[in-house]
Amino acid sequence: MSKYNFPSIIETNELSNLRLEVRNFIMKSINDGDFSPTADAWVFSANPDFSKKIGTMGWLGMSFPKKYGGHERTALERYVVTEELLASGAPVAAHWIADRQSGSQILRFGTEEQKNLIIPKITSGECFFAIGMSEPDSGSDLASVKTKATKTNDGWKLDGRKIWSTGAHIAHYMIVLARTSPASKENRHEGLSQFLVDLSLPNIKVKGIEDMTGQKHFNETLFDNVILSKESLLGEEGKGWSQVVGELALERSGPERFLSHFTLLEKFISEFRTSLLKSGSSLVGKLISELQTLRRMSFSVASMLQNGDSPETQAAFVKELGNRFEKMMIESLREISNIIPLYEWPTSLQNLFEDATLRIPSNSLRGGTTEIMKGIIARQLGLR
Ligand SMILES: Cc1cc2nc3c(=O)[nH]c(=O)nc-3n(C[C@H](O)[C@H](O)[C@H](O)COP(=O)(O)OP(=O)(O)OC[C@H]3O[C@@H](n4cnc5c(N)ncnc54)[C@H](O)[C@@H]3O)c2cc1C
């Protein structure tokens, strides 16, 4: 059997009960007017009050240690909660990055002081993070980052420019990947370090970048002579590359890579259930069966993480196939719009469809491009 298989995982009664609990909470939140479902809500829909409520429910930092305010629950329990929140289009963007990757990164590499300062605020839904990896000339090739941290007597001085930093305008911290010493000829990955940067410090400018929908959810972040304390270093000096690789695995492995536009599919089916029987039902059937396969694969990745494995290849598969699925979904719905013309769609559905159409191109970029994902898969399978 290949070491890159996806073990089949059955959802236990406990997990199904948790799923039900989250669904009831979501239903109540919608009925109470806390939010209206949107598409791609984990990137575009930030609501700090809602994040706080999720924290109160014990659904943030679910697998983090109790001594830092976490709940010591399993990766599968976290998966179930995450999946339900995504499928409902709940406004989870504010806390998403902190809960998905930054908290784990701090738990893994941070000092006791950093953990005590930050983790309890992440689990209560009051501390948000941005990812400071990409730069104008460094996206796929992160080893070429030019943002520089120079050692001073008391700590570090940070200079440089990060780009596409999702949510930096509402985040409290950014984990910045910076060069702390020149790379050697033999190894360009040497000399990088990660920093825990408080975004309220002087000399940091966060400038919104408008996307095709006209929204500003990502940013350019400028660091001009920013003074950082010694304690801002996250993990080991010079080990930023290996740290960042682990962080990327967390970023790429979740169900957000194929559930970003589930609200659109669900609304479409409930609206046109009867008309579909006469026409495009096979297209929708194909979408649902693909989605079900992706869910099983992603659930399996969560179980591997729970067992302490590093399913980097399987996560890259899910991300890549998830991106394809979402693109195919939009194309299928566009095809169906030849049968059921757009003017017959309710306005709310048209809006979801238009937003999704404009946002889909970014899916195969964010979190690593299609070519990079395929490269990882090929390398792990020994094909390159
Ligand atoms: C919506 C969105 C949100 C984002 N949020 C963040 C964020 O919060 N923080 C952050 O740091 N970044 C973020 N990014 C940036 C994202 O990670 C980068 O866009 C991505 O890694 C690609 O980098 P690039 O844009 O510089 O493209 P490039 O790396 O310049 O790539 C250009 C093209 O060349 C191809 N290519 C590059 N290298 C290779 C190779 N070795 N082999 C084959 N093909 C290759 C790529 O696949 C791509 O098609 C976000 C991007 C988007 C779209």
Side-chain angles (χ1 to χ4, degrees), residues 43-110:
V43 178
F44 290 86
S45 190
N47 177 338
D49 289 337
F50 187 77
S51 292
K52 228 168 153 179
K53 277 196 182 166
I54 297 286
T56 311
M57 293 302 291
W59 293 336
L60 292 181
M62 283 181 77
S63 57
F64 296 175
K66 284 190 179 161
K67 71 170 174 165
Y68 304 117
H71 305 283
E72 295 182 6
R73 297 184 79 169
T74 66
L76 291 181
E77 287 178 302
R78 180 177 182 273
Y79 183 91
V80 162
V81 171
T82 308
E83 195 177 51
E84 288 303 318
L85 289 168
L86 286 167
S88 70
V92 293
H95 65 254
W96 195 258
I97 291 168
D99 180 59
R100 176 182 68 186
Q101 65 193 80
S102 317
S104 302
Q105 197 70 353
I106 294 165
L107 282 170
R108 205 156 161 222
F109 299 108

Side-chain angles (χ1 to χ4, degrees), residues 40 42-44 97 100-101 129-142 162-168 174-175 211 217-219 248 251-252 359 361-373 375 384:
D40 231 357
W42 63 278
V43 178
F44 290 86
I97 291 168
R100 176 182 68 186
Q101 65 193 80
F129 269 73
I131 304 165
M133 295 185 194
S134 306
E135 295 183 6
D137 296 316
S138 307
S140 304
D141 181 20
L142 281 178
K162 293 290 172 184
I163 200 163
W164 315 124
S165 5
T166 300
M174 178 185 284
I175 297 185
D211 75 358
H217 62 94
F218 46 27
N219 305 271
L248 283 170
E251 186 173 341
R252 291 167 176 163
R359 287 171 187 167
S362 77
N363 284 29
S364 55
L365 293 171
R366 61 189 189 192
T369 68
T370 298
E371 290 73 21
I372 296 301
M373 291 303 108
R384 60 178 272 226

